[in-house]
Structure formats: C-alpha cells, structure tokens
Amino acid sequence: MDGDDEGRRDAAILDALFSQAPQGLFVCDTDLRVVRFNRAAPGVRGIPPEKVLGHTFAEFAPGITEVDVTALCEEVLRTGKVIRDRLARGRPPSNPDKDMMVSFSLFRLQGADGEILGLAALVDDVTDRESALERLDLLHEARKSIGTSLDAFRTAEELTDVLVPRVADAAAVDIIDEALRGRSLPSGPVSADTPMRRAAFRSVRGGEGPRPKGELATLPFPTPYTQVLNDLRPRIVSGIAPDDTWLAADPDRAAALRSAGVHSLLVLPLRLRDTVLGLTALYRFDRPDPFDGDDLALVTEIVAKATLHLENARSYVREHTIATTLQRDLMPCRPPGLSAVDTAYAYLPEGAGGDWYDVIPLSGARVALAVGDVAGYGIEAAAIMGQLRTALRTLALQDLEPEEALTRLDETAAFLGRTRSPVAADCENAPDFVATCLFAVYDPVSRSCTAARAGHPAPLVLGPDGSTTPFEVPSGRALGSADGMGYMSTTATLPESTLLALFTDGLVKPYGRDTEAARSRLGEILSQPDAPLDQLCDTAVYELVPAEPRDDAVLLLARTRALPADRVTVWSLPQDDSVVATARRLVEHQLGAWDLTDAVFTTELIVSELVTNAIRYGQGPIELRLILDHTLICEVSDTSSTSPHMRHATATDEGGRGLFIVMQLSDRWGSRSTADGKTIWSEQVIPDGPAR
C-alpha cells in the first residue's frame, strides 16, 4: 500500500471515528478552540457545526456548567496531567430545559518530537447511569433513616426528610386520625370527610407549611387528594394552571400552591395492602422539571417502606393502649381507708410496662404496702403484673412475713418466666428476671414496720419533722430466679406520722438521670410534714417525671398512725379450763366500756371457742387481745406453732365444732405465725361503727 492509500485509509478511519463513536470526542488546538468533534456527541446532536467549531469550551462547554472547564483544560495543556471520568451536571445546548449528567476525560496531544498539538476531550452522557445510582442511594438512605422509632409523627418526618430536596421541593404527610390512635381501619377506599392529621411537612424554603403539625382536618371534594383516597391510585399533576377546576374546590390550598409557585404535584396513598393510613403529597416549584413516571416509581417504593413503619407504629399504639387499659383495670381504684396509715399514690403507666402498687388491709389492724415493677412492656408485662399482684395479695392475706411472702412470690415469678410466650422468651433483649418488688407490713399497735425487697429501690422514710430516717432494707435478688436463697427483712419502730415512700425506677431513673440525685430531690419534695399527701404526689410527678415518659412510674405514700391505747386491751391467761369463764367476763366488761353491748353475746362465744382451742391444742400461756378498729378484732395467741385446722364434726361427735362456730360468727377469721407461736384471730363488722 503506497503513501496515498495509507493517507486515505487513515482519513477514513478518523472520519469513521468522529462520525460513529458512541461517546463525544472533541479535539482542540493550543488555544482550546474546537477543530474537530463528533457530531453525535452528548448535547450537540442537531447543533450546526459552525456553532461548535472554532469556539472554546468557555464559549461552548457542551452540557457542562458546574466546573471551570477552561481552567481544567489549561492545566492539562500546561502540565500534561490526564483527567479521567470527571462528573459534572449541566444543561445541553440542544435542550436547555433538561438536566444532564456528563462524564468527561481530558488529555494533551503531542507530536513525535514532543510538540504540543492541542487537547482531546472524551465526553459521555451518563445521566441514566447516575440517575439510577442516585435512586439506589436514595433508597438506601430511606431504608436506613425511615422507621427509627415507633412514633408515627417521627416516621412521617423521616419520610419528608428523605424526599426533600432530593426528589421534591416540598412534601407533606397526613395520617388518618384513627390510625394515629391505634384503632382498626376498614379496608378499601376512604371517604373525603375522613379526619386526617398533619404529621409532617418539609420545604426547601423552610417553615411549617400552610397547616401546622398536628392539625386535624378533612379534605374538600373533589381534588387529586380525594381521588387518590377514592381509588387508591397515585396522581401526577404535571402542570398546575391557575384556572384548574379542582383548585376551586379547595381555595385555601389553591392559594398556598399559587403563592409558592407550585407547578407539579405528586400524591400517593399511604397504603398497606387494601388499608389506607393516609396521604403523601410532593410539590415542585424551584426545580423546573415536572414529576414523571420514574419519580413515581421511586417515591412509591420509599412511601411503601414508610407505610410499613407507620403500620408498626399504629400496632404499637394499639397494643400500648390495650396494655395501659389492662394495667389501670388491674390496679385498685383507690387505696382503702385504714386506721393504720393515710395513703396517696401517683400511678403513670405511660410506658405500658408492668409497674404496680397495692395497699392490703391485714389482720390485727395492720396494713401491707407493696410496689413492684415487671420487666418488659406491653400486654404480656401487664398480664404478668396482674398475676404477681394477685399472688402477692393472696400471700399477704395469709399473714406471711415479708421475707417469706417474697420467697413464695419468687417461685410464682419463676413459673411465669418459664411459661411465658416463646416469642418473648427467645427475644435477644429479654431480661434475665421477671420483676422487682418491695413489700412492707406496718402494725399501728406496736408502730413496727417490717420490709423486704427483691431487686427493688429501697424506700424513703421521713420522720414526723420531715427529716430522713434511716431504714436499711436488705437488697435481695429480683423475682424469677427461684434459687432458694430467700430474702431478708428488717424491722423498725416508727414514730407516729412517719412518711413511707415506695416507688419504682421510672420515677427516679428516666433517661439515664443520676438516680441518687433524683432520690435526694424526692426526699426534699416529701420533707413537708404539713402538706397533703396528694399534693406531695403531684409535686413529685411535676419535678421528676419527664415530659415524654418512656417508662411507667409509681409513687406510693403512706403516713403512719398509731392506734390509741384505749382501743387495745391485752390479757395474759393460764392454760387452764377455768379461764374460759374469766375470758368471757373480761370481754363483757371491755365491750361495755366501748359501748358495744350489742356485740357481747357473739364476742363471748367467739372468745370462748378460741380460748378453749388454745387450751386443748396449744402450749404455754395464752394471750387474749381485743382491738377496736373499723371492726372488732379478737385475737388469741399461744406458743404452739401448729396451725389450726377446721374440720366438720359428725352427728355423733361431742367436739370438733369450735373453729366452725368461729367461722360462722365472724366476718373474717384466720391465723398467723408469730415469733413465739401462732395467733388465731376473728373480725366482726360493727353495724353502726365503733363508738368514739
């Protein structure tokens, strides 16, 4: 092949290269003026050659407006540095209304002798590729940032944060009010008059939008919003004209759209299968391009994820409401009126956990005070709380000492822990205990208080003058281990008008607060001897419970009383059959002094049977005690630890009816163990109340 043929072949190759190359190819001289280019290059298709040839990149810069192309070209021409795959966004001269993403590479052209001939640029339209990557990045951001909590308002805000400004200039989320309340929703279309609450709004211009967050409203009909609710299909409004018919149906919204300069609208239902939770609306006013099908496909996927989290939030609210209702129904309506203590409480089941309290009247005018906290949240925690509270009340009514009652309750808690739902048992965050509890018994006759605790905060005890009184209750393990180690209690004699404060962690340990500082502050609040207990409870809540509590909180206050000495009478009797008649005479005399002559006959029978039972089956001296409280209490104690057992005598038996008679004549009766033996007691309701 001769030189002419080679020249023609080289020229043909160059012509084919510049006419057929899929990428843009530009060749510039040393003055950076275009001397040859690929007419199929991105952004110059259909542009006359004279508008490109002889022009510098500063004059032309095909599709590139975000970087200083001239400076880059001069740097490459001067240094020989190669720039590869630099990305830039711009608008091509052939279509200035369209966004374009290009990738360009620059390198210097040199002759064989090293002479600098000019510059070459390779330009490629990567708009589709970068758009796909950007969409994938946006979807990843949505998966990462939407649904970080079970709060519907927060989830809605996370959705608008993802959409603005990367997809829209503004976005709003409205949720059906019934969904926010956790209630069940009907499937299928939603009527236009369904109340919806503004959950979130975000705009590139800032501000809270035409409707404040939390506002409840209905949608005027007909508009694109109501049409979406009607057929559950999204709507794209590519151009909004001032005279559009649907704007007249909603003048307030129309005024806001015109004021913002909105030209394109995208409305989607927050739809989970056939159930609609609300609406999402996207607006464009700053960026010129309207919403299209690609935007709809992208936003649909993001909104679907957000809707799933909103449904989780609705389910959480529903379970929280049920659990809270269950908790409240399982709690006593109000503490009973007692001679032993004045009580008041603050009960805040805001976290739908398992906090509880109880005030239990016991025999001998005593009272049991209990506060507990079940691990976990929701319906299961509330159910376990109800079972533990019932079990503890049952144990307390058996007159068990606090340490023994907690030991028995520990066994019950361990059983509940073993038999709880498999889902809860397999949960990684499942606690290794079932509950904590503080249990105390106060006797107004001796003014003694005995308390034990199972992994629970120790009580605060304040004397009659408001000063803190030491009352060290040994700390035992939390309930549910059933390791047989048992619990220890402590007993203290308290002056009358001593204040006992029993509480749960939710009151003094929210959000990582310094527990000791909060406990000290609680002591300061309660150190007001003359303040009503209800007022002290309210003040403690105002100062210690955060505005948005995440945990339950209980505060139980009990101000002690002492039973007047003239309301208690005690006699010591020998273990001899002859003392039965003596006991009846003593009772008759004492009831006469209390002006309870109508109760003499019944009480004499009860005392006769109890004393006779102690003589026959007991040991040591016998103690007879009468207590005049809200009821008339008769107690007979001996040094035998054998518990009484009531049996039904047959027709031929001469005895065996004593405790049966006591049961028939008493409103309540029972027995309890004491340090020296046992006590059998009987209570009778006084029809007209005790004489004062």
Side-chain angles (χ1 to χ4, degrees):
M1 181 181 295
D2 58 22
D4 292 340
D5 291 338
E6 289 182 1
R8 286 193 296 272
R9 186 172 183 277
D10 290 343
I13 290 174
L14 286 176
D15 289 340
L17 173 65
F18 277 94
S19 63
Q20 300 175 22
Q23 293 179 315
L25 176 60
F26 295 84
V27 177
C28 302
D29 59 20
T30 54
D31 293 327
L32 302 180
R33 298 182 182 279
V34 178
V35 296
R36 191 166 186 178
F37 73 102
N38 176 10
R39 295 185 181 182
V44 297
R45 295 182 181 89
I47 300 296
E50 59 270 18
K51 290 189 177 182
V52 180
L53 294 173
H55 293 275
T56 66
F57 277 101
E59 298 169 336
F60 177 64
I64 304 172
T65 59
E66 287 187 341
V67 297
D68 189 346
V69 179
T70 299
L72 288 176
C73 291
E74 291 175 347
E75 180 184 0
V76 171
L77 198 63
R78 183 179 66 255
T79 64
K81 175 184 176 181
V82 177
I83 294 178
R84 293 184 174 88
D85 299 324
R86 174 67 65 88
L87 292 175
R89 188 186 300 273
R91 298 183 184 277
S94 59
N95 188 3
D97 292 332
K98 178 184 177 182
D99 278 334
M100 180 179 181
M101 182 68 73
V102 297
S103 170
F104 64 91
S105 300
L106 303 173
F107 57 93
R108 191 171 67 183
L109 299 175
Q110 293 182 236
D113 57 359
E115 179 187 3
I116 298 176
L117 303 177
L119 185 79
L122 296 175
V123 182
D124 193 12
D125 182 357
V126 294
T127 304
D128 292 340
R129 185 193 75 186
E130 292 301 316
S131 177
L133 291 175
E134 185 176 349
R135 289 171 185 269
L136 288 175
D137 180 65
L138 187 61
L139 290 173
H140 173 71
E141 177 67 21
R143 292 189 181 96
K144 182 176 66 174
S145 59
I146 297 177
T148 60
S149 72
L150 288 172
D151 179 77
F153 284 91
R154 179 58 190 155
T155 300
E157 290 172 353
E158 292 166 347
L159 173 60
T160 57
D161 289 345
V162 168
L163 296 175
V164 178
R166 298 178 67 174
V167 179
D169 296 321
V173 178
D174 295 284
I175 302 178
I176 295 174
D177 191 53
E178 293 290 290
L180 289 172
R181 298 176 184 273
R183 297 173 182 169
S184 298
L185 298 175
S187 60
V190 177
S191 61
D193 59 354
T194 300
M196 305 183 73
R197 199 173 293 276
R198 173 56 53 90
F201 178 84
R202 181 177 173 84
S203 170
V204 294
R205 299 177 183 175
E208 66 175 8
R211 289 176 54 200
K213 178 181 176 180
E215 181 181 83
L216 189 65
T218 56
L219 298 174
F221 177 87
T223 63
Y225 309 95
T226 59
Q227 291 300 97
V228 169
L229 293 177
N230 182 59
D231 57 21
L232 308 185
R233 293 189 295 109
R235 293 292 191 280
I236 298 179
V237 182
S238 299
I240 299 178
D243 58 349
D244 281 348
T245 305
W246 67 269
L247 292 174
D250 193 351
D252 293 338
R253 194 184 302 268
L257 295 179
R258 295 190 188 102
S259 175
V262 174
H263 62 80
S264 185
L265 169 67
L266 177 59
V267 186
L268 300 92
L270 296 170
R271 176 181 177 182
L272 186 66
R273 295 179 289 276
D274 291 331
T275 302
V276 179
L277 303 181
L279 286 175
T280 300
L282 284 71
Y283 306 90
R284 283 183 177 173
F285 40 79
D286 282 353
R287 62 174 71 189
D289 49 313
F291 291 109
D292 57 22
D294 291 338
D295 295 320
L296 175 59
L298 174 65
V299 174
T300 297
E301 188 169 350
I302 295 174
V303 168
K305 172 180 175 56
T307 304
L308 181 61
H309 288 290
L310 289 173
E311 171 62 15
N312 291 340
R314 186 189 70 84
S315 299
Y316 170 77
V317 171
R318 180 174 180 271
E319 180 176 333
H320 181 279
T321 302
I322 294 173
T324 302
T325 302
L326 178 60
Q327 279 182 270
R328 291 190 182 278
D329 288 346
L330 290 173
M331 288 294 97
C333 296
R334 61 181 61 86
L338 300 169
S339 298
V341 290
D342 290 323
T343 57
Y345 71 95
Y347 177 58
L348 304 173
E350 302 302 327
D355 290 17
W356 91 90
Y357 74 94
D358 210 345
V359 179
I360 310 168
L362 301 179
S363 64
R366 299 171 305 139
V367 62
L369 306 172
V371 166
D373 184 359
V374 172
Y377 299 91
I379 297 174
E380 184 180 30
I384 291 177
M385 176 271 288
Q387 295 176 81
L388 289 180
R389 176 177 172 265
T390 301
L392 183 58
R393 174 171 278 261
T394 302
L395 294 169
L397 292 175
Q398 297 299 313
D399 285 315
L400 299 180
E401 291 296 320
E403 66 272 18
E404 185 177 357
L406 288 185
T407 300
R408 301 283 184 87
L409 189 65
D410 181 36
E411 297 171 357
T412 301
F415 173 78
L416 294 175
R418 291 193 299 268
T419 58
R420 63 181 176 177
S421 69
V423 174
D426 294 339
C427 179
E428 293 182 359
N429 297 322
D432 56 2
F433 65 95
V434 176
T436 64
C437 183
L438 171 63
F439 185 56
V441 174
Y442 174 70
D443 186 343
V445 177
S446 63
R447 294 184 289 105
S448 65
C449 181
T450 303
R453 59 187 177 117
H456 201 82
L460 273 176
V461 181
L462 293 89
D465 60 352
S467 61
T468 303
T469 300
F471 189 57
E472 299 296 333
V473 182
S475 178
R477 73 207 176 287
L479 299 173
S481 60
D483 56 7
M485 295 298 293
Y487 296 89
M488 296 179 63
S489 63
T490 188
T491 302
T493 300
L494 305 178
E496 187 175 4
S497 297
T498 295
L499 183 63
L500 294 169
L502 287 65
F503 50 87
T504 60
D505 271 344
L507 186 69
V508 297
K509 195 180 178 181
Y511 307 104
R513 179 188 296 169
D514 185 343
T515 304
E516 286 304 316
R519 184 182 175 92
S520 297
R521 180 57 190 144
L522 177 61
E524 294 172 4
I525 294 170
L526 301 180
S527 60
Q528 304 176 55
D530 299 327
L533 297 183
D534 289 334
Q535 178 182 320
L536 293 178
C537 285
D538 289 344
T539 304
V541 170
Y542 299 153
E543 295 204 24
L544 297 178
V545 178
E548 296 182 0
R550 299 177 186 175
D551 196 7
D552 297 358
V554 168
L555 172 61
L556 176 61
L557 299 181
R559 182 167 284 146
T560 64
R561 293 177 177 177
L563 206 62
D566 61 354
R567 298 279 174 167
V568 182
T569 302
V570 182
W571 299 281
S572 293
L573 305 174
Q575 193 176 19
D576 187 274
D577 291 341
S578 63
V579 302
V580 176
T582 303
R584 287 198 298 265
R585 289 194 300 271
L586 293 172
V587 167
E588 180 182 9
H589 176 76
Q590 185 60 57
L591 294 186
W594 284 340
D595 196 19
L596 295 176
T597 54
D598 291 343
V600 169
F601 178 74
T602 301
T603 307
E604 283 184 341
L605 286 177
I606 292 173
V607 169
S608 294
E609 296 301 334
L610 293 181
V611 172
T612 300
N613 187 79
I615 293 171
R616 291 183 179 178
Y617 306 109
Q619 295 176 2
I622 299 169
E623 181 180 275
L624 170 62
R625 184 167 73 162
L626 294 185
I627 301 174
L628 181 58
D629 190 27
H630 294 293
T631 59
L632 178 59
I633 304 169
C634 302
E635 296 182 345
V636 174
S637 305
D638 61 68
T639 58
S640 171
S641 60
T642 304
S643 299
H645 175 69
M646 186 182 70
R647 65 184 180 87
H648 293 277
T650 63
T652 59
D653 288 340
E654 295 183 1
R657 298 177 176 83
L659 292 181
F660 181 77
I661 293 174
V662 172
M663 181 189 71
Q664 295 296 316
L665 296 177
S666 305
D667 292 282
R668 292 176 62 218
W669 80 282
S671 68
R672 64 176 181 268
S673 297
T674 64
D676 301 324
K678 69 173 182 301
T679 297
I680 305 177
W681 54 270
S682 164
E683 285 189 14
Q684 302 172 70
V685 173
I686 304 171
D688 298 326
R692 296 296 182 190

